[in-house]
Amino acid sequence: PAGQGSVTLVVARTTAAKLAPQQKKQQMSVVNSASPSWTPCPRRDWRLRSNKTQTKFRPLGVARSEIYGSSIQLEGCRGYISNLPLVLTQAAQGYMGRRGFRFNPEMCSILACYDPNGAFADNRETLMRDLSARMRSRGPDGSGYYGNERFGLAHERLAIMDPEGGKQPIVYEDAKYSVCANGEIYNFRQLQEKYELGTAKTGSDSEVLLQLFKLIGPEFVKELNGIFGFVCVGDDGENILAARDHCGIKPLYIGYGIGGSIWFASELKAICDQCETIEEFPAGYYWTPESGFVKYYMPDWDSDDYVGRKDTSHVREVLTQAVREQMMSDVPIGLLLSGGLDSAVISTIIKPMLEETKQQFITFTVGQEGSPDITAARMMSEHLGTDHHEYLFTSEEACSIIPDVVYHLETYEPELIRSAIPNYFLARLASKYVKVVLTGEGSDELFAGYLYFRDAPNSTAIHKELRRIFHHLHNVNCQRADRMTMAHGLEARVPFLDPNVIDAVMQVNCLRSSAVVYECNSL
């Protein structure tokens, strides 16, 4: 409250931006996200968006934090966010010298330009390398570029799989196919076997995207299990495909620039001064110039009429398999130990796997001295016998890094900024020891872990609310986890948000919702 030593942040809420002409016909189904009366902060009339928006895809607000899949536009356009594009551009170029901004960039990022009319043909490579460098904190291990007069692909790399041979963009020169990807494809070996793809040229999991696009076209995206945002190019720019993972664990934006150019980037800062309109690429969709946006992630449970039939007896097995797949790495892996139930569950699954491979179990936690999370994390670390690292921060430190958090988070949403501050310290700590960490993000959105679920009137209401908050993960938990870890060249993996785990939990009969929580407790 004002007058009690608090910091007040002004939130810029934007209206929707208009789609490019070829996108206007694409209908995107969205969850009805009006908050039910039993949730905290039910939606009021003053929160409703303008009915003048022309955008088909527009998620509504979250019950607790009002976070949107927003768009930004250049000054003078409807939906312009104050001076955010200027702030992002200047900060990336090193013009803003106040404390908190990072000038020595250290996860992967992608930047792609589809330019069928050749508007940027003359100096595309120089331009795109400069723009991509704004995201270098995501990929400190190298950068690359490939393109011609119709397209360009740029990449900043954090080397996790095949550190020596997996440089991007990955190019098949003879076939004129190329790919630029951010994230990890956990089932790439199974897909290579299933489709008899033959020997890959690299050890990178991203190469399977190129192989499958060349073999069967865009529909292969439905078979991927991973966290990703990528762009594939075929026939030297004649065919192009962009896609984002099932719930937006990895970021991706689409922008519309001059001369009919279409841009794709992992972060807004890379293209904020190149496009007239920028939108968040919707989670669970792919895009081609011919089809526009196509929704490929359509699980059976994603309906208000769905009734779960299963109990929780199969959950541990599915979660264990997800953890095993996400332990895939050619570099050491750590665990973010929050002191909560979610990361504690993951830790008990990881321990025997690391013992089997004789790897060190490294855990990390941050907080303020005497906080319950620090105490609980220490107890869990002692119980598991981990190599535990912690960082205790002060209130003054937390305030001092707010500009840096906003720069990397790319939002002015106060609640998200507040929750991202400890994540920033945590990622900074972990990045000194490992390149990959597992986290417990997403569990509350699956297991009805928030206290307000106690007030749900029936099982239908529980399932409806779980669907609603699940479809906002891309702008809350996922955005926070990705941006804060990537700010320090660290990859965060989220076993609870594996699509098989999501299916296993969402198929549980909600009449047994209390049993779900108890089952998670017993894991």
Side-chain angles (χ1 to χ4, degrees):
Q4 297 184 18
S6 63
V7 177
T8 301
L9 296 175
V10 178
V11 182
R13 289 195 172 97
T14 65
T15 58
K18 59 184 179 180
L19 289 172
Q22 64 266 35
Q23 306 302 321
K24 290 183 178 180
K25 297 181 181 179
Q26 300 305 318
Q27 301 290 334
M28 298 189 193
S29 59
V30 297
V31 166
N32 179 358
S33 29
S35 305
S37 60
W38 52 272
T39 64
C41 305
R43 177 171 296 284
R44 306 298 183 192
D45 290 342
W46 60 269
R47 282 179 174 164
L48 295 176
R49 285 184 170 272
S50 166
N51 59 9
K52 298 178 181 179
T53 175
Q54 299 177 32
T55 304
K56 300 296 184 183
F57 177 78
R58 185 58 51 199
L60 298 178
V62 185
R64 295 171 307 289
S65 52
E66 291 287 320
I67 297 169
Y68 300 92
S70 301
S71 56
I72 69 172
Q73 297 183 322
L74 298 181
E75 187 170 8
C77 298
R78 188 179 66 231
Y80 174 68
I81 301 183
S82 181
N83 65 337
L84 180 58
L86 178 63
V87 171
L88 292 176
T89 304
Q90 290 183 338
Q93 294 173 344
Y95 295 155
M96 303 187 69
R98 61 181 184 270
R99 182 175 60 175
F101 280 88
R102 297 173 58 87
F103 298 113
N104 299 305
E106 310 159 13
M107 202 89 258
C108 291
S109 67
I110 67 168
L111 175 65
C113 179
Y114 174 59
D115 186 16
N117 301 319
F120 295 92
D122 292 340
N123 67 334
R124 181 183 291 109
E125 179 174 355
T126 301
L127 172 64
M128 291 189 66
R129 285 187 180 274
D130 289 344
L131 296 176
S132 183
R134 299 176 183 177
M135 303 183 287
R136 192 155 291 160
S137 64
R138 300 180 67 93
D141 294 334
S143 59
Y145 176 85
Y146 180 75
N148 62 19
E149 68 279 359
R150 288 177 294 199
F151 76 95
L153 300 176
H155 189 263
E156 306 296 327
R157 185 183 184 222
L158 181 68
I160 294 173
M161 293 297 294
D162 189 12
E164 297 301 320
K167 296 179 181 180
Q168 293 197 43
I170 301 174
V171 180
Y172 286 175
E173 292 276 8
D174 53 343
K176 299 180 179 180
Y177 274 72
S178 51
V179 66
C180 192
N182 169 32
E184 303 288 336
I185 309 300
Y186 301 126
N187 64 337
F188 77 101
R189 290 190 178 92
Q190 295 93 313
L191 291 172
Q192 286 172 336
E193 286 184 20
K194 176 179 177 180
Y195 289 99
E196 300 178 344
L197 298 177
T199 304
K201 295 183 178 180
T202 73
S204 171
D205 55 293
S206 297
E207 187 174 351
V208 75
L209 304 173
L210 195 56
Q211 294 174 307
L212 290 174
F213 183 49
K214 184 173 179 292
L215 181 67
I216 60 179
E219 291 298 304
F220 80 87
V221 178
K222 298 177 181 179
E223 300 196 48
L224 299 178
N225 181 351
I227 56 177
F228 55 82
F230 68 81
V231 175
C232 286
V233 176
D235 300 319
D236 246 5
E238 289 294 327
N239 299 315
I240 186 168
L241 165 71
R244 191 179 182 191
D245 65 64
H246 59 291
C247 61
I249 299 165
K250 284 298 172 186
L252 189 62
Y253 294 91
I254 181 171
Y256 305 96
I258 64 171
S261 61
I262 300 179
W263 295 76
F264 303 89
S266 297
E267 295 187 359
L268 284 168
K269 60 179 65 68
I271 56 174
C272 61
D273 54 353
Q274 299 299 312
C275 302
E276 297 175 353
T277 302
I278 301 175
E279 297 190 344
E280 183 180 3
F281 196 105
Y285 282 77
Y286 70 75
W287 176 96
T288 70
E290 297 77 24
S291 67
F293 287 103
V294 176
K295 187 174 184 179
Y296 71 85
Y297 182 61
M298 296 181 287
D300 293 339
W301 54 262
D302 195 13
S303 165
D304 284 344
D305 299 326
Y306 180 82
V307 178
R309 303 294 183 187
K310 296 184 178 181
D311 60 21
T312 59
S313 60
H314 61 303
V315 172
R316 182 183 181 88
E317 180 182 352
V318 177
L319 181 60
T320 300
Q321 181 58 32
V323 171
R324 188 178 302 279
E325 290 176 351
Q326 297 191 23
M327 293 288 285
M328 173 187 77
S329 175
D330 292 334
V331 296
I333 292 182
L335 173 68
L336 302 185
L337 198 57
S338 66
L341 182 61
D342 43 17
S343 61
V345 168
I346 300 298
S347 70
T348 63
I349 296 175
I350 289 177
K351 182 175 172 61
M353 296 180 184
L354 293 175
E355 290 175 343
E356 182 182 328
T357 56
K358 295 181 171 54
Q359 294 183 66
Q360 191 176 24
F361 194 174
I362 311 172
T363 54
F364 308 92
T365 191
V366 298
Q368 296 185 294
E369 186 60 66
S371 67
D373 285 351
I374 283 286
T375 303
R378 288 172 180 171
M379 293 172 61
M380 199 67 200
S381 171
E382 184 177 351
H383 171 70
L384 295 168
T386 72
D387 177 14
H388 190 58
H389 304 268
E390 63 181 40
Y391 180 77
L392 304 179
F393 62 88
T394 65
S395 299
E396 291 73 20
E397 283 182 285
C399 290
S400 73
I401 65 158
I402 288 177
D404 207 5
V405 169
V406 172
Y407 171 71
H408 288 291
L409 199 57
E410 297 186 324
T411 182
Y412 292 135
E413 165 55 44
E415 178 65 18
L416 192 56
I417 294 169
R418 179 201 63 78
S419 63
I421 289 173
N423 286 71
Y424 182 93
F425 288 122
L426 188 57
R428 188 175 70 182
L429 171 65
S431 67
K432 298 176 182 179
Y433 301 89
V434 297
K435 284 187 176 182
V436 183
V437 290
L438 267 64
T439 82
E441 294 284 6
S443 61
D444 287 324
E445 285 74 15
L446 298 182
F447 288 91
Y450 297 111
L451 288 177
Y452 71 87
F453 276 96
R454 298 179 303 178
D455 301 322
N458 51 51
S459 61
T460 301
I462 292 174
H463 181 71
K464 196 171 183 177
E465 177 66 0
L466 286 175
R467 287 183 59 235
R468 193 187 68 79
I469 62 177
F470 172 84
H471 284 290
H472 287 289
L473 277 168
H474 65 101
N475 273 150
V476 192
N477 306 50
C478 295
Q479 183 170 347
R480 178 183 64 229
D482 174 83
R483 301 308 182 84
M484 294 302 98
T485 52
M486 297 303 182
H488 297 90
L490 183 71
E491 179 172 276
R493 298 180 178 177
V494 284
F496 279 110
L497 295 181
D498 179 284
N500 297 316
V501 175
I502 295 169
D503 287 347
V505 179
M506 288 296 202
Q507 290 169 4
V508 170
N509 189 327
C510 285
L511 286 173
R512 310 169 71 150
S513 59
S514 60
V516 174
V517 177
Y518 294 139
E519 174 69 14
C520 188
N521 227 330
S522 68
L523 290 176

